[in-house]
């Protein structure tokens, strides 16, 4: 592809690192900012550089943080007896936004996947085990995704909790609110049926 400007070609190529952005979209984005919004593009470039340079991971819960320990881990307003384990920082954000959860988190930054080189150590399970041994956590809430790897991860987390004598719970999965039984996939329906609750 030739745009007449190597810088422009490089920009289009670089934009493709964003999820869901293919060649056409990248091209549209690059032409858009040059034609119409150079100020916005400059701001984006500055924020991107600052975020990439200054955001690291909390040493206690592993979520994104600009400080060695994140605000959630240091906040007195959070219940230290509850620890919710999620796969990614964005899962943590989803729980924060959707629920009234007031406990703390531990972020695995992945899920068990030996083929991708993700084992217990990469997921920080040694750090988590140490934390459970400290005795403050009373309940480990396992909020990994209901995928094959997420389930395998959940089993390992449950074992970790058992070893530390900490109660473990798992997010319920089942019928989506507003859904209709006939349209729900069999696996989900079977899971929901098996996990039925007393009314
Ligand atoms: Zn933290």
């Amino acid at each position: 592809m030739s745009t007449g400007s190597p810088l422009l070609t490089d920009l289009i190529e670089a934009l493709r690192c964003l999820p869901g952005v293919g060649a056409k979209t990248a091209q549209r984005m690059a032409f858009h900012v040059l034609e119409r919004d150079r100020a916005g593009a400059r701001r984006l470039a500055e924020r991107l550089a600052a975020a990439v340079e200054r955001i690291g991971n909390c040493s206690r819960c592993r979520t994104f943080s600009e400080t060695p320990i994140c605000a959630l881990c240091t906040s007195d307003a959070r219940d230290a007896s509850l620890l919710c384990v999620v796969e990614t920082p964005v899962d943590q954000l989803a729980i924060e936004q959707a629920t009234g959860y007031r406990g703390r988190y531990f972020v695995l930054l992945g899920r068990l996947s030996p083929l991708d080189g993700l084992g217990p150590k990469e997921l920080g399970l040694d750090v988590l085990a140490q934390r459970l041994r400290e005795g403050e956590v009373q309940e480990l809430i396992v909020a990994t995704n209901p995928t094959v790897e997420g389930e395998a991860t959940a089993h390992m987390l449950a074992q970790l909790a058992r070893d530390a004598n900490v109660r473990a719970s798992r997010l319920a999965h089942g019928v989506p609110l507003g859904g209709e039984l006939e349209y729900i996939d069999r696996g989900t329906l079977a899971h929901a049926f098996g996990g039925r609750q007393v009314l």
Side-chain angles (χ1 to χ4, degrees), residues 58-63 65 69-74 105:
C58 170
S59 62
R60 201 155 161 73
C61 74
R62 297 168 40 110
T63 199
S65 176
I69 298 185
C70 76
L72 263 174
C73 281
T74 46
Y105 292 92

Side-chain angles (χ1 to χ4, degrees), residues 146 173-175 184-194:
H173 3 90
V175 181
I184 291 163
D185 71 276
R186 283 170 158 195
T188 302
L189 187 53
H191 225 294
F193 200 84

